Amino acid sequence: MPDAGRFSELGEQGSRAVMEAAAVLERELSAGLADAKAATSRLTGEHRVDQDEFDQLVRRVSENTHQLIDAVSARVLAGTTGEVSEQAQRLTANAHDVLDLLLSLGALAPGLANRTMQSAFGPQHERTGEAAGGGTGADERPNG
């Protein structure tokens, strides 16, 4: 069992790093608020998730969160050596891997949400054209 005393300094440095990184992340999240509002508006108004808008939002979250992990890690690793440093590096790598996994799973959300909303609210515009014999395809879906 590792000696808890060796990790106490890591905790103090980590707390400072997290506070600094949180301030940066708050500014970045504010900048991405417009993207989130556009996606929410489409969801509530058109009952669908736009894949491009969703992908843009996921890219922003991915980039910001990976940068946050790296910033916190760099601050924590700056004052560590030996076994503590190795543990912090493994933790950093695991954090990146978990983030990537969660965002990959999240990529399924637009398709699942759109199918669910289609069931709940009825066919989307392009589906009603097909049913009426108009032959409107998915390529003609409204982008607005």
Side-chain angles (χ1 to χ4, degrees):
M1 182 162 185
D3 178 15
R6 292 186 291 169
F7 293 99
S8 64
E9 185 178 322
L10 178 65
E12 291 171 17
Q13 291 173 348
S15 294
R16 284 191 304 272
V18 167
M19 293 301 289
E20 291 170 10
V24 171
L25 182 59
E26 184 177 358
R27 288 191 301 270
E28 287 296 321
L29 289 174
S30 294
L33 195 55
D35 292 340
K37 285 182 179 180
T40 301
S41 176
R42 185 172 316 283
L43 180 64
T44 57
E46 299 177 21
H47 305 294
R48 72 179 182 91
V49 177
D50 183 272
Q51 185 70 51
D52 292 335
E53 284 177 348
F54 185 83
D55 289 345
Q56 181 178 351
L57 195 55
V58 167
R59 272 191 302 280
R60 180 185 293 271
V61 168
S62 175
E63 290 169 6
N64 288 340
T65 308
H66 278 296
Q67 289 175 8
L68 174 64
I69 292 168
D70 288 339
V72 170
S73 175
R75 288 292 306 247
V76 169
L77 287 170
T80 62
T81 59
E83 191 177 321
V84 174
S85 177
E86 291 171 14
Q87 181 68 25
Q89 289 173 347
R90 283 193 298 274
L91 180 62
T92 299
N94 290 341
H96 282 293
D97 290 345
V98 167
L99 174 62
D100 290 338
L101 173 64
L102 291 173
L103 293 176
S104 293
L105 289 173
L108 301 172
L112 294 171
N114 286 336
R115 282 190 292 271
T116 301
M117 286 185 284
Q118 184 177 0
S119 295
F121 296 105
Q124 292 178 348
H125 179 30
E126 71 271 11
R127 301 282 179 168
T128 56
E130 289 174 6
T136 305
D139 292 338
E140 295 176 31
R141 171 181 16 195
N143 292 326

